[in-house]
Amino acid sequence: MTEETIREKLVGRLAMLLKMDKDTIRPDARLEELGMDSMRFVDLFIFIENEFGVELISTDMQRADLETPQALAASIARNL
Amino acid sequence: MGQRIFLSGLDWIIHALESATRRTCPTGNHSQIVLQLDGRLDHAALAEALNRFSSAFPVLGGRLARRWTLEPYWKVPRRSQPPTIRLEVSDIGGEEFWPVLERCANAPFLHDREYVMFQLFQGAGDTSFLVMKFDHRLLDARGAEQLLHLFNRYVAGEISLDELQTSCMPIRPSLLTHWKERFLSGRSLLRATRPLADCDIAGVVDGNSCGGDSSFIHLALDAEESKRFMDRAYREAGFLMFLPYALHLVTRAFDTVCRHSGRQGEYVIPCTVDLRGPDVPPDKMFFNYCSMLFFRIGPDEMNDPSSVIASLKTQLYNQRKEGLPEHFENVMALMRIMPVRAFDWMMCKHMRHCFGSFSFASVGAGFFEEGQFMGAGIVNIFHMPQVPPQTGLGFVFNQFQGRINVGVSFRENLLDSDARTKLSEQLKELCLAGAQKSRDA
């Protein structure tokens, strides 16, 4: 799976979780500024686990790896 | 025949809580949002604007009713007289604001069909406080903030009454469908909550002595303190893990009170979560759109703050994976067919009169980023909810322009002055600095 495909799927899921139009979510948008909170971030983790088989909880990701859909997609791609 | 708006399962819990709260305290289950302003308001203009504004919301004149199929609904009357929102104005001169705000929080509505009212307190200088008191049967905390925000936009000429009328009317299906799915949700919910019913809960509620007025503690962090708080939260609990971090802090503060008063047991925390997303669409402003998560911390775990955070994160993850808030919502949709009193009795029976050690809610960032209200600057916005008698104590976090407010609400008969002081001091210390100290340090 390419990083671009991962990013698209992530943006689609984010749009669903945040009840936004996915076209309004830029890949470099900061999740915090999009209104992401703890519960929805955990929901995103569960989606990533189910969709890509990557358990983020058990990786050594830093804040910079998680802050935007773009960074998150790159991190997932590295851990596939 | 007026309009019919079906109540959700959580609305029904709120009705049961209203009934339980009124047994111990005449004020009922309501809350208030406080706008701290740096100027005086023209109260005649405010009263007039409120009158016009309220006419867009016939739902404010409604009442509870039941369909022949037993589903409860909100009956919005079709009548020529539009509902009004009452405004009371008090000039309090040099009097301290906090006791005045507490008295206001404990004052009941004028009658059974009043659900929203405003109170304006003008001080000696340029400070004033505008309070919007609201009944939880009709609005939850974020819905109430949205209503206040829409009022501000209406006054500023950004939105018309027609727009409000068409966009804010809630449309809700009956929900008395998908029975099998809801029964399966019930099984999952029971499996998850049964251990909570069996555990020995450490709480402040003691038998029937859960009455009395509510008292409040308010801690307002400034911009720098809030930034440090968030940095610590992300460092110690992980990126975006505000909820587990804030929950661990208040649990530690509560633990201090319990140790002080010799209360022992496990900490069980019902936590309100909003299912709407970061925005509150106008048609989802009225009624309740929240669900519950339940957290449990053993007293021995309190010695190690990082293990408390880890445990809360794991519980959050597991409950989300199980879809617990959705199961809760599903089950409660069926429970609505029970009469409020029977439902109230069943909740008490299941949870042995104590629903938890304390309740917890995080309202999140508000809607008033513009910072102005009718020409006056908004200094701060915070919440003062009546706490349900089943827990007797609750914590609420909210943010205004990136600044964090921590509110504590408790029944005044349940905490002596020593315990209040300890709770307040400990909370302040933990929120401002000493997050990594162990409780015995």
Side-chain angles (χ1 to χ4, degrees):
Chain A
M1 200 179 296
T2 66
E3 195 178 311
E4 196 182 334
T5 314
I6 297 171
R7 195 170 61 223
E8 270 174 29
K9 287 189 175 189
L10 276 181
V11 168
R13 190 62 176 192
L14 277 169
M16 203 196 88
L17 290 171
L18 300 171
K19 299 188 169 54
M20 294 169 78
D21 182 347
K22 73 174 185 180
D23 296 334
T24 63
I25 300 177
R26 292 193 333 267
D28 61 345
R30 296 186 64 223
L31 297 184
E32 215 172 351
E33 282 160 13
L34 291 173
M36 192 63 133
D37 61 12
S38 308
M39 194 175 87
R40 281 165 197 92
F41 197 49
V42 168
D43 288 350
L44 189 65
F45 269 41
I46 293 165
F47 168 76
I48 290 166
E49 198 179 302
N50 293 337
E51 187 72 24
F52 309 114
V54 176
E55 288 191 23
L56 291 183
I57 293 258
S58 54
T59 63
D60 59 351
M61 282 190 190
Q62 304 298 309
R63 181 174 170 170
D65 300 317
L66 306 166
E67 272 185 321
T68 65
Q70 196 167 282
L72 198 46
S75 312
I76 294 166
R78 277 200 306 274
N79 282 283
L80 276 178
Chain B
M1 175 79 184
Q3 198 195 340
R4 182 184 281 168
I5 303 163
F6 288 105
L7 300 185
S8 69
L10 197 85
D11 290 323
W12 202 234
I13 293 182
I14 299 291
H15 277 270
L17 285 178
E18 170 73 16
S19 162
T21 308
R22 277 186 189 276
R23 276 205 309 274
T24 58
C25 172
T27 49
N29 182 27
H30 65 226
S31 182
Q32 64 186 31
I33 301 176
V34 180
L35 259 70
Q36 184 181 352
L37 303 165
D38 67 2
R40 293 172 77 87
L41 297 182
D42 177 345
H43 54 82
L46 175 61
E48 200 186 316
L50 277 173
N51 256 334
R52 286 197 309 268
F53 179 72
S54 60
S55 68
F57 306 107
V59 69
L60 290 172
R63 66 173 174 85
L64 179 69
R66 262 190 198 276
R67 204 181 176 197
W68 64 272
T69 48
L70 296 179
E71 295 149 283
Y73 66 93
W74 197 253
K75 187 175 181 179
V76 182
R78 189 189 296 273
R79 58 180 183 184
S80 52
Q81 187 66 32
T84 55
I85 296 178
R86 183 166 56 96
L87 169 70
E88 281 186 14
V89 183
S90 308
D91 214 322
I92 58 168
E95 200 182 336
E96 289 267 340
F97 274 109
W98 195 249
V100 170
L101 292 175
E102 282 196 326
R103 279 201 298 278
C104 180
N106 285 301
F109 282 112
L110 273 188
H111 52 81
D112 274 354
R113 299 245 191 126
E114 186 177 49
Y115 308 109
V116 177
M117 67 85 63
F118 280 69
Q119 179 117 27
L120 176 63
F121 298 106
Q122 311 263 37
D126 263 349
T127 303
S128 55
F129 287 81
L130 181 67
V131 174
M132 184 179 108
K133 190 198 283 276
F134 59 94
D135 191 316
H136 270 306
R137 287 175 296 179
L138 206 54
L139 289 158
D140 59 24
R142 293 182 73 224
E145 273 201 20
Q146 177 68 293
L147 182 68
L148 192 56
H149 182 234
L150 286 178
F151 175 66
N152 197 27
R153 289 186 60 204
Y154 166 68
V155 171
E158 291 172 15
I159 191 164
S160 70
L161 282 183
D162 282 347
E163 282 174 276
L164 287 169
Q165 231 154 5
T166 48
S167 64
C168 296
M169 185 52 95
I171 298 163
R172 293 169 133 210
S174 122
L175 295 175
L176 211 55
T177 53
H178 303 89
W179 286 68
K180 187 180 171 192
E181 187 188 314
R182 295 185 199 284
F183 276 118
L184 290 175
S185 280
R187 198 170 61 180
S188 302
L189 186 69
L190 264 182
R191 203 179 294 144
T193 58
R194 188 171 289 143
L196 300 181
D198 291 337
C199 74
D200 184 16
I201 300 175
V204 293
V205 174
D206 179 20
N208 291 320
S209 64
C210 53
D213 281 350
S214 285
S215 281
F216 300 87
I217 297 168
H218 178 226
L219 178 61
L221 275 57
D222 65 24
E224 186 54 37
E225 290 163 348
S226 301
K227 188 183 171 303
R228 283 205 300 269
F229 184 102
M230 293 306 284
D231 286 346
R232 277 200 313 274
Y234 288 3
R235 195 174 55 243
E236 292 172 25
F239 180 54
L240 287 174
M241 288 295 122
F242 177 86
L243 188 144
Y245 184 74
L247 194 50
H248 118 277
L249 284 188
V250 300
T251 310
R252 287 173 64 192
F254 184 75
D255 177 57
T256 308
V257 175
C258 285
R259 284 187 299 123
H260 163 73
S261 55
R263 293 182 177 99
Q264 289 180 327
E266 289 190 80
Y267 300 125
V268 172
I269 309 140
C271 172
T272 310
V273 290
D274 197 315
L275 298 177
R276 271 173 300 212
D279 198 14
V280 175
D283 65 334
K284 288 190 172 160
M285 178 172 70
F286 287 108
F287 302 100
N288 290 272
Y289 293 87
C290 297
S291 190
M292 305 296 287
L293 291 168
F294 296 91
F295 295 93
R296 179 181 181 178
I297 299 288
D300 298 339
E301 290 179 79
M302 297 308 297
N303 291 318
D304 180 6
S306 53
S307 83
V308 174
I309 294 175
S311 169
L312 291 170
K313 281 174 69 177
T314 305
Q315 291 179 56
L316 174 62
Y317 179 82
N318 290 338
Q319 290 185 63
R320 286 310 298 149
K321 202 163 185 179
E322 277 284 316
L324 203 69
E326 288 78 9
H327 286 317
F328 192 76
E329 196 186 21
N330 264 339
V331 176
M332 290 307 152
L334 282 190
M335 302 301 268
R336 295 172 307 154
I337 58 176
M338 287 178 83
V340 166
R341 282 189 184 281
F343 185 45
D344 174 30
W345 174 84
M346 198 201 74
M347 285 204 295
C348 289
K349 179 109 177 140
H350 184 57
M351 302 304 279
R352 295 180 188 168
H353 293 280
C354 184
F355 283 18
S357 303
F358 56 85
S359 54
F360 179 88
S362 174
V363 180
F367 301 100
F368 278 89
E369 292 308 308
E370 65 267 31
Q372 288 278 319
F373 187 88
M374 291 186 82
I378 303 173
V379 178
N380 199 1
I381 297 176
F382 53 93
H383 291 252
M384 294 175 72
Q386 288 276 343
V387 68
Q390 292 87 350
T391 55
L393 189 144
F395 295 88
V396 59
F397 280 68
N398 81 298
Q399 289 170 50
F400 172 64
Q401 295 185 334
R403 286 179 279 131
I404 297 169
N405 288 295
V406 189
V408 188
S409 169
F410 57 94
R411 297 302 175 112
E412 63 181 11
N413 294 350
L414 300 177
L415 290 186
D416 59 31
S417 65
D418 241 23
R420 291 172 201 202
T421 310
K422 278 207 180 309
L423 180 62
S424 174
E425 285 174 356
Q426 184 70 4
L427 195 60
K428 193 169 179 181
E429 188 191 321
L430 289 170
C431 287
L432 295 181
Q436 271 301 340
K437 287 183 193 168
S438 94
R439 80 171 184 184
D440 297 323

